[in-house]
Amino acid sequence: MSLEMLIGLSVGIAASGEDLWRRNVSNWIPVAALLGALVAQTIQSGWWGLANWAGGAAIGFGVFLVFYLLGGMGGGDVKLMAGFGALLGPSRLLEAILATAILGGILALAVVLWRTVRGRLSQQAPPRAVDGKAVDGNTVGGNTVDGNTVGGNLVDGNAVDEKTSRVYIPYAPAISLGAWIALMPKVGP
């Protein structure tokens, strides 16, 4: 296994696990990706590796910054793609971005379908809390109703921003898979 693949797998597993568990990508993960990429790029290509590192990081950050500014993803996702961009360099970054876009679209569609199905199923169930009082062991007002936090962070099993009611979609797994696809050796004729 190459150093690049080892770094990519390590960073991807850490970022995906944290994004799925905490709905956040801590700053140490993209920093580790940037530092690991700097080492890998300079070992592999010397001074040209430094240029690949800087170019990949800037392009990865810039492309995903647009989606962040439009409200489509979090800042941790942008920094994560900068780290993977530094590891991949500009030449392999386009493949990672395209794969990430496809995988992220599939993930977003799956979340929408899940919420639709879950919402329809919950509409069929009888109410389990009335006037903020516990019914069947469930409570309202920052606690849980049917296993979902009300007035907190979870609704229908999905993380929700209390101010905007927007559903969080963990994109770190899609970003990691996209980068891993670009890191895989290509077999051809």
Side-chain angles (χ1 to χ4, degrees), residues 44-109:
Q44 183 177 346
S45 304
W47 288 107
W48 286 112
L50 183 59
N52 279 332
W53 177 83
I59 294 168
F61 184 84
V63 169
F64 276 51
L65 180 63
V66 173
F67 296 111
Y68 169 76
L69 293 174
L70 294 173
M73 64 178 44
D77 298 323
V78 177
K79 294 178 276 188
L80 180 62
M81 190 49 134
F84 277 125
L87 184 63
L88 295 167
S91 63
R92 293 186 291 173
L93 186 56
L94 178 60
E95 181 182 2
I97 290 171
L98 292 175
T100 297
I102 291 167
L103 294 166
I106 292 169
L107 178 64
L109 182 61

Side-chain angles (χ1 to χ4, degrees), residues 141-158:
N143 296 311
T144 60
V145 175
D146 298 331
N148 302 308
T149 301
V150 177
N153 293 331
L154 288 178
V155 174
D156 293 330
N158 295 296

Side-chain angles (χ1 to χ4, degrees), residues 162-179:
E162 293 174 356
K163 296 174 192 153
T164 63
S165 297
R166 292 171 54 181
V167 173
Y168 287 118
I169 299 173
Y171 281 113
I175 294 168
S176 299
L177 286 171

Side-chain angles (χ1 to χ4, degrees), residues 1 4-15 84 87 180 183:
M1 178 181 302
E4 286 178 320
M5 185 59 91
L6 182 63
I7 293 167
L9 285 172
S10 301
V11 167
I13 290 169
F84 277 125
L87 184 63
W180 294 343
L183 281 169

